[in-house]
Amino acid sequence: MKIYGIVGWKNSGKTGLMERLVTEIVARGLSVSTLKHAHHHFDVDQEGKDSFRHREAGATEVLLASGRRWALMHELRNQAEPPLADLLKKLSPVDVVLVEGYKRDTHFKVEAHRVETGQPLIALDDPTIRAIASNEDLPDMTVPVFDLDDTKAVCDFILSELGL
Protein backbone atom coordinates (compact mmCIF):
# COMPACT_ATOMS: atom_id res chain seq x y z
CA MET A 1 0.00 0.00 0.00
CA LYS A 2 1.14 3.51 -0.72
CA ILE A 3 0.74 6.07 2.01
CA TYR A 4 0.70 9.84 2.01
CA GLY A 5 0.10 12.19 4.89
CA ILE A 6 -1.81 15.38 5.54
CA VAL A 7 -0.51 17.38 8.48
CA GLY A 8 -1.05 20.80 9.97
CA TRP A 9 -1.90 22.61 13.16
CA LYS A 10 -5.37 22.57 14.72
CA ASN A 11 -7.99 24.29 12.52
CA SER A 12 -5.63 24.35 9.54
CA GLY A 13 -8.04 22.51 7.23
CA LYS A 14 -6.60 18.99 7.46
CA THR A 15 -9.88 17.13 7.87
CA GLY A 16 -11.69 19.05 5.13
CA LEU A 17 -8.78 18.45 2.76
CA MET A 18 -8.72 14.76 3.69
CA GLU A 19 -12.45 14.45 3.03
CA ARG A 20 -12.19 16.13 -0.36
CA LEU A 21 -9.13 14.06 -1.32
CA VAL A 22 -10.90 10.80 -0.48
CA THR A 23 -13.82 11.83 -2.70
CA GLU A 24 -11.45 12.84 -5.53
CA ILE A 25 -9.33 9.67 -5.33
CA VAL A 26 -12.40 7.42 -5.33
CA ALA A 27 -13.83 9.37 -8.30
CA ARG A 28 -10.62 8.51 -10.18
CA GLY A 29 -11.31 4.81 -9.69
CA LEU A 30 -8.78 4.14 -6.94
CA SER A 31 -9.42 2.62 -3.52
CA VAL A 32 -8.47 4.65 -0.47
CA SER A 33 -8.45 4.21 3.29
CA THR A 34 -7.65 6.75 5.97
CA LEU A 35 -5.85 6.63 9.28
CA LYS A 36 -6.24 9.57 11.67
CA HIS A 37 -4.13 10.26 14.72
CA ALA A 38 -5.89 11.78 17.72
CA HIS A 39 -3.84 13.58 20.36
CA HIS A 40 -6.53 13.35 22.97
CA HIS A 41 -8.87 10.87 24.59
CA PHE A 42 -11.54 9.84 22.14
CA ASP A 43 -14.30 7.28 22.02
CA VAL A 44 -16.11 5.88 18.99
CA ASP A 45 -18.49 3.94 21.18
CA GLN A 46 -21.58 5.12 23.01
CA GLU A 47 -22.05 4.80 26.74
CA GLY A 48 -24.65 2.21 27.60
CA LYS A 49 -24.32 0.23 24.36
CA ASP A 50 -23.31 -3.42 24.64
CA SER A 51 -19.90 -2.90 23.01
CA PHE A 52 -19.16 -0.01 25.39
CA ARG A 53 -20.13 -2.18 28.33
CA HIS A 54 -17.80 -4.96 27.11
CA ARG A 55 -14.86 -2.52 26.99
CA GLU A 56 -15.72 -1.01 30.35
CA ALA A 57 -15.81 -4.51 31.82
CA GLY A 58 -12.17 -4.95 30.75
CA ALA A 59 -12.16 -6.50 27.28
CA THR A 60 -8.95 -5.73 25.40
CA GLU A 61 -10.71 -5.90 22.02
CA VAL A 62 -14.33 -5.59 21.05
CA LEU A 63 -15.35 -6.37 17.49
CA LEU A 64 -18.75 -4.99 16.53
CA ALA A 65 -20.23 -6.50 13.36
CA SER A 66 -23.37 -6.14 11.29
CA GLY A 67 -24.45 -6.81 7.74
CA ARG A 68 -23.21 -3.34 6.74
CA ARG A 69 -19.87 -2.85 8.54
CA TRP A 70 -17.59 -4.03 11.29
CA ALA A 71 -15.42 -2.11 13.71
CA LEU A 72 -12.66 -3.31 15.97
CA MET A 73 -11.93 -1.34 19.11
CA HIS A 74 -8.72 -2.11 20.95
CA GLU A 75 -8.00 -0.78 24.43
CA LEU A 76 -4.31 -0.19 25.10
CA ARG A 77 -4.79 -0.68 28.85
CA ASN A 78 -1.62 1.26 29.75
CA GLN A 79 0.42 -0.16 26.87
CA ALA A 80 2.38 2.22 24.64
CA GLU A 81 0.66 3.71 21.60
CA PRO A 82 1.55 1.54 18.59
CA PRO A 83 3.70 3.09 15.87
CA LEU A 84 2.14 4.07 12.56
CA ALA A 85 3.76 1.11 10.76
CA ASP A 86 2.01 -1.36 13.08
CA LEU A 87 -1.37 0.34 12.60
CA LEU A 88 -1.00 0.33 8.81
CA LYS A 89 -0.63 -3.47 8.92
CA LYS A 90 -4.16 -3.70 10.33
CA LEU A 91 -5.70 -2.14 7.19
CA SER A 92 -6.97 -4.14 4.24
CA PRO A 93 -5.01 -3.53 1.00
CA VAL A 94 -6.00 -0.42 -0.96
CA ASP A 95 -4.34 1.76 -3.58
CA VAL A 96 -3.73 4.70 -1.20
CA VAL A 97 -3.81 5.23 2.55
CA LEU A 98 -4.16 8.88 3.53
CA VAL A 99 -2.79 9.54 7.01
CA GLU A 100 -4.01 12.56 8.94
CA GLY A 101 -1.53 13.58 11.60
CA TYR A 102 1.62 11.66 12.49
CA LYS A 103 3.62 14.73 11.54
CA ARG A 104 6.81 13.34 13.08
CA ASP A 105 6.78 10.12 11.01
CA THR A 106 8.95 9.82 7.90
CA HIS A 107 6.34 9.33 5.17
CA PHE A 108 5.80 12.15 2.66
CA LYS A 109 3.17 14.73 3.52
CA VAL A 110 1.23 17.78 2.38
CA GLU A 111 0.87 20.50 4.99
CA ALA A 112 -2.54 22.14 5.33
CA HIS A 113 -2.10 25.76 6.39
CA ARG A 114 -4.53 28.55 7.22
CA VAL A 115 -3.10 31.98 7.95
CA GLU A 116 -5.86 32.59 10.56
CA THR A 117 -4.38 30.00 12.91
CA GLY A 118 -1.32 32.17 13.46
CA GLN A 119 0.84 29.04 13.51
CA PRO A 120 4.20 28.80 11.77
CA LEU A 121 4.66 26.52 8.80
CA ILE A 122 5.77 23.02 9.74
CA ALA A 123 7.40 22.69 6.31
CA LEU A 124 10.13 25.14 7.25
CA ASP A 125 11.78 22.50 9.44
CA ASP A 126 10.45 19.23 8.02
CA PRO A 127 11.91 17.73 4.83
CA THR A 128 9.11 15.11 4.66
CA ILE A 129 6.62 17.84 3.75
CA ARG A 130 6.63 17.81 -0.02
CA ALA A 131 3.98 20.51 -0.63
CA ILE A 132 1.75 23.00 1.15
CA ALA A 133 -1.98 23.58 0.66
CA SER A 134 -2.67 27.08 1.97
CA ASN A 135 -5.22 29.87 1.89
CA GLU A 136 -2.46 32.44 1.46
CA ASP A 137 0.26 32.99 -1.12
CA LEU A 138 3.65 31.68 0.00
CA PRO A 139 5.99 32.80 -2.79
CA ASP A 140 9.29 32.03 -1.06
CA MET A 141 8.72 28.35 -0.35
CA THR A 142 11.02 25.69 -1.79
CA VAL A 143 8.15 23.18 -2.11
CA PRO A 144 5.05 23.51 -4.31
CA VAL A 145 2.23 25.59 -2.81
CA PHE A 146 -1.38 24.88 -3.76
CA ASP A 147 -4.57 26.69 -2.91
CA LEU A 148 -6.11 24.89 0.06
CA ASP A 149 -9.38 24.55 -1.86
CA ASP A 150 -7.78 23.25 -5.09
CA THR A 151 -8.39 19.60 -4.27
CA LYS A 152 -7.78 18.42 -7.84
CA ALA A 153 -4.28 19.98 -7.93
CA VAL A 154 -3.36 18.59 -4.50
CA CYS A 155 -4.67 15.17 -5.54
CA ASP A 156 -2.74 15.29 -8.83
CA PHE A 157 0.43 16.09 -6.87
CA ILE A 158 -0.04 13.28 -4.32
CA LEU A 159 -0.91 10.64 -6.92
CA SER A 160 2.04 11.71 -9.05
CA GLU A 161 4.35 11.44 -6.04
CA LEU A 162 2.98 7.93 -5.42
CA GLY A 163 3.33 6.90 -9.08
CA LEU A 164 -0.42 6.41 -9.52
Side-chain angles (χ1 to χ4, degrees):
M1 289 188 296
K2 299 184 180 212
I3 75 164
Y4 216 92
I6 304 297
V7 297
W9 300 109
K10 184 177 180 179
N11 298 319
S12 63
K14 297 181 303 291
T15 301
L17 180 58
M18 286 275 293
E19 182 180 6
R20 294 189 312 273
L21 285 169
V22 168
T23 300
E24 181 70 21
I25 291 169
V26 169
R28 295 180 186 203
L30 297 170
S31 58
V32 61
S33 290
T34 64
L35 194 156
K36 179 184 174 19
H37 188 257
H39 293 282
H40 45 78
H41 176 76
F42 71 94
D43 205 335
V44 296
D45 211 355
Q46 296 177 18
E47 189 171 349
K49 295 292 186 181
D50 292 349
S51 54
F52 184 92
R53 292 171 60 191
H54 296 177
R55 285 190 307 116
E56 288 296 302
T60 299
E61 290 189 328
V62 176
L63 194 143
L64 183 60
S66 76
R68 297 182 63 107
R69 70 185 57 89
W70 65 269
L72 177 64
M73 293 171 281
H74 181 98
E75 291 294 318
L76 292 175
R77 306 270 182 226
N78 297 318
Q79 296 174 0
E81 179 180 345
L84 176 60
D86 290 353
L87 295 171
L88 288 167
K89 292 174 189 173
K90 296 182 182 302
L91 294 174
S92 298
V94 291
D95 296 314
V96 179
V97 176
L98 291 178
V99 177
E100 182 176 341
Y102 289 94
K103 60 179 161 264
R104 289 177 183 80
D105 276 74
T106 59
H107 59 281
F108 288 155
K109 306 164 192 85
V110 169
E111 179 178 358
H113 174 74
R114 285 190 197 278
V115 67
E116 301 86 44
T117 67
Q119 294 288 347
L121 285 164
I122 300 166
L124 296 174
D125 298 314
D126 187 342
T128 67
I129 294 178
R130 307 280 292 177
I132 300 168
S134 180
N135 67 343
E136 72 172 325
D137 289 331
L138 301 168
D140 297 328
M141 295 307 301
T142 58
V143 297
V145 177
F146 301 98
D147 185 289
L148 184 58
D149 294 322
D150 192 350
T151 307
K152 183 182 180 318
V154 175
C155 187
D156 287 345
F157 177 81
I158 290 171
L159 294 181
S160 174
E161 286 263 292
L162 294 174
L164 295 172

